[in-house]
Amino acid sequence: MSQFNDTWGSNIVKELIETTPPEAINWWPQTLGWQVVAFFLFIIFLRKLYLRWRLYQHNVYRRDAIAWLNQLPPFEKLSTQPIFRQLPNLLRKTALGGYQRTEIANLSGNSWAQWLDEQCTQSSFGEDGAFMLHRLAYDSDWSMTSDQMDSLTQKVRLWIEHHRGVYD
């Protein structure tokens, strides 16, 4: 390989002196007005983060109820699966976790199902759901079909996941 000789290139470029690059641009606001705006935006961000954290902490009851539902064994026959009899109790405990006790304590039967439907538009218990919840909670001899139990379990799951609590 041959080296380039001294006459290679332009004479103008040979005497060119490189300049140093400018310092990095500081992204922090330089004026007091923009610093105040940045401070308030930071405070708003922290407040939103705190409210999200509080909502997450408040929804522990909801996550616990869903975890309990996820651990249910497959439904075969109600008499051999007494754990399904706890669905009305789970629904009541979940409601107590998200609402005031005084609002829920006196509700039963159709008024309970109507209140559940008012709190969540995703699931509808209606009179049929109220009947099934009542019979499931208080009648130990009553048996349900697999389809009825799947339907009720799905309604309970939807209500737990999508109801609007006091803090939602």
Side-chain angles (χ1 to χ4, degrees):
M1 280 215 205
S2 66
Q3 291 286 338
F4 293 115
N5 55 16
D6 289 341
T7 60
W8 184 82
S10 172
N11 288 334
I12 298 172
V13 176
K14 285 183 185 177
E15 296 177 15
L16 186 67
I17 300 172
E18 270 193 58
T19 58
T20 58
E23 293 181 23
I25 297 173
N26 187 358
W27 286 95
W28 183 250
Q30 300 299 314
T31 61
L32 180 63
W34 284 112
Q35 288 175 359
V36 169
V37 169
F39 176 74
F40 280 116
L41 288 176
F42 182 69
I43 295 298
I44 290 170
F45 171 75
L46 286 180
R47 184 175 185 275
K48 286 198 176 277
L49 191 65
Y50 172 71
L51 291 175
R52 287 268 186 183
W53 178 77
R54 273 190 51 197
L55 183 62
Y56 177 80
Q57 292 296 321
H58 174 72
N59 281 330
V60 164
Y61 74 95
R62 192 185 307 242
R63 289 190 303 276
D64 288 345
I66 291 171
W68 189 87
L69 279 175
N70 289 338
Q71 292 177 357
L72 282 177
F75 179 78
E76 295 171 9
K77 195 173 182 183
L78 189 60
S79 61
T80 62
Q81 301 285 346
I83 195 166
F84 284 95
R85 295 221 177 258
Q86 295 179 20
L87 280 176
N89 190 28
L90 174 72
L91 195 57
R92 180 76 64 162
K93 281 183 177 180
T94 304
L96 287 172
Y99 299 92
Q100 299 294 323
R101 181 175 294 277
T102 56
E103 186 178 355
I104 297 168
N106 296 328
L107 298 174
S108 64
N110 287 338
S111 62
W112 170 241
Q114 181 181 1
W115 183 86
L116 290 171
D117 290 342
E118 289 171 2
Q119 306 311 314
C120 179
T121 58
Q122 305 273 334
S123 66
S124 62
F125 286 93
E127 290 185 22
D128 186 41
F131 173 76
M132 286 195 292
L133 286 171
H134 181 75
R135 293 288 302 263
L136 199 56
Y138 298 110
D139 189 358
S140 60
D141 295 331
W142 184 63
S143 62
M144 296 174 72
T145 66
S146 179
D147 291 337
Q148 287 175 323
M149 184 52 72
D150 288 341
S151 172
L152 183 62
T153 305
Q154 186 63 24
K155 287 178 185 182
V156 169
R157 179 182 299 277
L158 282 172
W159 191 88
I160 291 171
E161 290 175 349
H162 298 290
H163 73 274
R164 300 294 296 176
V166 174
Y167 299 105
D168 293 345

